[in-house]
Structures are given as C-alpha cells and as structure tokens.
Amino acid sequence: MVGLDGKECKLILVLNCGSSSLKYDVIRMPHRQSLGKGLVERIGEEKGMLEQKAGEKKLLIEQHISDHKEALELVVRALTDTDEGLISSIDEIAGIGHRVVHGGDKYASSVTIDEDVIAAIEEFVELAPLHNPPNLAGIRVAREVLPKVPQVAVFDTAFHQTMPPHAYLYGLPRKFYDEFKIRRYGFHGTSHRFVSARALQLCRRHPTNTNLISCHLGNGASITAIAHGRSIDTSMGFTPLEGLIMGTRSGDLDPAIFAYLIDRGYTSKELINILNKKSGLLGLSGISNDLRDLESEAENGNQLAKEALNAYAYRVRKYIGAYAANLVKVDMLVFTGGIGQNGWRMRERICHRLENLGICMDFRLNKEKGCKEGVVSEAYSPVTIVVIPTNEELQIAIDVYELAFGGDDEYRRRSSDHLVGFEE
Ligand code: ADP
C-alpha cells in the first residue's frame, strides 16, 4: 500500500479490550496518522453499542453484542462500511497491536504474539485478574478473525522492567517475592515511554544525558523517574493502587489500616472496592472524581474540595522530591494525562513549591498554554517543564511497525527522533 507522499505504508489496527468494552484506532505508519477511532461498549449486556469517528464521519451501531468475537466482527463491519468506513477492505490491515496490562517480569518490551506469549499472558492473569483476561480475549478473537495478520502485545508493565531491585522490592519477607512474585511492577509504561520520548524530541535532547520525571495524571495516575531513557522507579506498584492520590483510588496507605478495618467488620472484597472506586479525589471530597468539578467547587469556597486538591498536589510533589533525590539531577518534568495535560491550575499547585529543586514554572505561560503541547517553565529554570499530550495508541502502532515491518529508517536516522525506541 502506498501513501499520498508515494511512501510505502502499513495500516495498523490498535486494540484495547476491557471486560465489556473494546477501543480501537487505525493508524497509518510510518506517517503516524490516525484514520479514525472507535469504541464498542456494553459487550455482553442487553444492548451494546459501537461508535466510530473519523473527522466529520460518524457511525453509530446499536445492537446486542454477546462477546468480544462479535465485537471485533462489528468493528470489521464498521471499518469497511461503504459510507462511513475507514478502509475499503479488511485486507488493508497489515498489523494488529494489543494493549496488554500485565507482562509480569518476563517482558521488558513489546513482542510478536505466538503461543508462548499467550501462555505467559495467561500465567500473569493472577497478577491482573481484571485486565489480562479481556486483553487475552481480544488477542484470541483477533487471531481467529484476522489469522494472517501479525499481532503484537504491548505491555503496560514493560517499560518499568528496567527498575533495579532496590526500587522494585518491598520491605517484606523475601519469600513473598520468591513464591508469590510480590514486587513493584508499575503501570502506564506505554504512556511514560511515549511522553518522555516526545519531550526529548521536542527539546532536542538525547536520552543518554537527560533525566526526566514523568507525571501521568489521569483518572489513574502515576509518576516515573527516567534516567538514560529507562524507568528507574515508578509510583504504581504490585497493582495500580499504590502511589498518587487518584480520581477514585487511594494511593499510598499505611497497610495496617486494612487489618484495622477488617477487625471492624469490613471484608477484604469491600475494602479493595472502596480503595479502588470510592477513595482518592472522590472519597476525600465526597463530591466527584472529576478535577473540573472540584476546581469549581473549590472556587466557590468548598473546603472539602480544596483539601482534596491540596492533598492531590502534595502527594505529587512528594514523589517529585523523592525521585529528584534518586536521579541526582533532573533535566525535565513532564505532565500528561487528562489532568496533567488540561489541568493548568493543578500543574501550578504542584509546581509552586518546587523552586528549591530548580523547577521554576512560568505561571503565565502555564495558564496560556492550557492543554497544548509545549514548555511551561521559565527560561532560567534548571528543569524544563513540558506538557505533552499522551498517545498510547500511536506508541503501540510504532511498536507493531517496528517489530513486524522493521520500522522506518528515515525516522530512525533523524537523531532528534527517539519515538521508535531509545537506541544508544
Ligand atoms: P483516564 O485515566 O480514565 O484515561 P483521563 O486521562 O481522561 O483519564 O483523565 C481524566 C481526568 O482529566 C478527569 O479528572 C478530568 O477532570 C480531567 N480533565 C479532563 N479535561 C480537563 C480540563 N479541561 N481541565 C481540567 N481537568 C480536566
């Protein structure tokens, strides 16, 4: 297939399967251009729905969707729809990339899927019981529906596999690590990898002499310390519950609280549900997990909203401080995710006490930039603060293109471009 610029191109289908949903995106490589994306929701429920968008084109299908196989068949129908479709034949799809949450300690990078990879993802179901099963379902049906197309797994945990033992070990009896694989794994790796590479590219820096702290602040939130292009520590741990205060997740806690509440009649199932779904900004404020709601409540003088926002910012600052201590020198601080990218006030709240670390925000520029990509620090700031919109789907497509088609030499040659990976 040849693109408009006469360059050979491949269309990559990126799939992200949840328990009752399937998100997809079709990306033209090496042009890094999305042709359109869609979402299938309420798989297995009485009434399912597919919504596909490509510029002005919109397609909505409402019908019962019994399982992921039917969902993918519906995606194929939508992609090739005569009026609102994105491609004329499904044979145009040259590769498929699957977002997979947990690759355990086995995968430090993306891999082409074969029977061994499927068996490994299956093995890691016990570490990610909510996420790996639907990810696997997506892989299985994609192999069934498009058997000839190469498929690649891109793991949320892979980027963090470079963490040294002193960062990934918990202070527990060794047998918990040896027998149950309890250690820090970290998540959001694809996003941290994408935004850190993009930040380097934007500021024309090379990973070998740049240390970064990357803050992915969305509904889920994590922060990663990156040296020489490699994750050396990250705030999410054995599960995505550890670390920052999030939309509905508690983040760090004294583990004794769990036992204390069990003694008071809560079951562990109830507590895990509370810690994942009813805590964080929502739990603290009692109002909402949405930053915009809390910002406007705080402006109207709501004390609980103010406290929730301050606790959120304080926790992020605490991690930045801890990571700055371990990185020794920090060159860049990156903000991404729904809150990191759009929430300029939250960025301000986080940075206004970090000048002692050389993190000097240009508050006017930070407000002006809003959600746009760019630098928001003072020219004299030792640490460059940047806002980068994340694009995990694109990173997945880049990985598929690299693994299945050998990548693109032109992109690789351009020394300021590190998106294809951190070659040294
Ligand atoms: P997820 O982790 O579910 O992908 P997102 O990255 O979309 O979440 O982030 C969701 C968060 O982003 C919400 O708390 C929302 O309030 C916040 N957000 C989105 N848009 C804005 C905005 N314009 N201003 C402030 N916060 C925003």
Side-chain angles (χ1 to χ4, degrees), residues 193-419:
R193 181 157 63 102
F194 179 84
V195 298
S196 56
R198 176 68 194 140
L200 290 167
Q201 184 188 38
L202 188 74
C203 297
R204 301 190 171 278
R205 293 196 61 133
H206 199 269
T208 47
N209 63 4
T210 310
N211 289 348
L212 300 96
I213 296 176
S214 152
C215 308
H216 177 113
L217 310 177
N219 232 333
S222 69
I223 173 163
T224 297
I226 301 166
H228 308 291
R230 295 190 173 87
S231 167
I232 60 154
D233 200 357
T234 192
S235 60
M236 281 180 170
F238 179 63
T239 74
L241 196 48
E242 194 182 347
L244 303 175
I245 291 175
M246 309 181 209
T248 59
R249 293 191 194 123
S250 63
D252 295 340
L253 283 182
D254 179 343
I257 295 171
F258 206 84
Y260 185 86
L261 288 173
I262 283 190
D263 288 348
R264 269 144 197 82
Y266 286 91
T267 65
S268 77
K269 211 169 171 188
E270 280 167 347
L271 287 176
I272 279 295
N273 190 45
I274 291 170
L275 297 182
N276 272 302
K277 302 206 169 129
K278 300 195 167 138
S279 302
L281 289 175
L282 172 67
L284 277 170
S285 67
I287 301 167
S288 167
N289 62 318
D290 193 303
L291 185 78
R292 289 163 289 196
D293 296 342
L294 296 187
E295 296 276 18
S296 73
E297 283 292 327
E299 233 166 65
N300 293 334
N302 185 312
Q303 196 52 29
L304 293 184
K306 276 188 203 168
E307 276 179 16
L309 293 171
N310 287 337
Y312 186 99
Y314 179 76
R315 182 75 57 90
V316 178
R317 273 204 303 275
K318 229 164 125 168
Y319 267 93
I320 291 173
Y323 289 166
N326 280 298
L327 284 167
V328 184
K329 91 174 165 124
V330 183
D331 303 293
M332 300 178 84
L333 177 67
V334 185
F335 283 103
T336 195
I339 293 175
Q341 184 193 337
N342 302 293
W344 64 268
R345 261 180 228 199
M346 181 52 83
R347 292 198 300 260
E348 185 177 293
R349 240 182 239 108
I350 291 166
C351 288
H352 89 281
R353 299 271 301 275
L354 292 176
E355 290 81 2
N356 63 328
L357 293 179
I359 296 172
C360 308
M361 178 171 267
D362 180 333
F363 295 109
R364 187 189 49 81
L365 187 61
N366 176 55
K367 185 175 175 184
E368 260 172 36
K369 274 265 173 222
C371 62
K372 291 197 204 81
E373 179 181 271
V375 173
V376 296
S377 44
E378 295 280 5
Y380 58 77
S381 178
V383 179
T384 308
I385 311 170
V386 284
V387 176
I388 305 281
T390 193
N391 193 340
E392 287 157 288
E393 292 78 17
L394 176 55
Q395 185 64 65
I396 292 174
I398 290 169
D399 288 3
V400 177
Y401 191 64
E402 185 77 6
L403 276 170
F405 306 105
D408 183 66
D409 285 343
E410 188 184 319
Y411 277 108
R412 224 181 276 128
R413 265 198 309 272
R414 280 163 43 185
S415 60
S416 61
D417 187 302
H418 307 296
L419 281 171

Side-chain angles (χ1 to χ4, degrees), residues 21-61:
S21 70
L22 188 168
K23 277 192 213 153
Y24 63 96
D25 199 334
V26 178
I27 298 178
R28 191 200 305 275
M29 291 299 294
H31 305 79
R32 302 176 180 197
Q33 180 197 10
S34 171
L35 301 192
K37 44 181 82 180
L39 170 65
V40 186
E41 281 181 298
R42 298 191 218 122
I43 300 171
E45 290 177 30
E46 201 178 316
K47 207 169 181 193
M49 189 177 83
L50 177 147
E51 211 177 349
Q52 178 175 285
K53 282 188 195 149
E56 295 296 290
K57 285 200 230 170
K58 268 191 195 151
L59 180 64
L60 186 70
I61 303 174

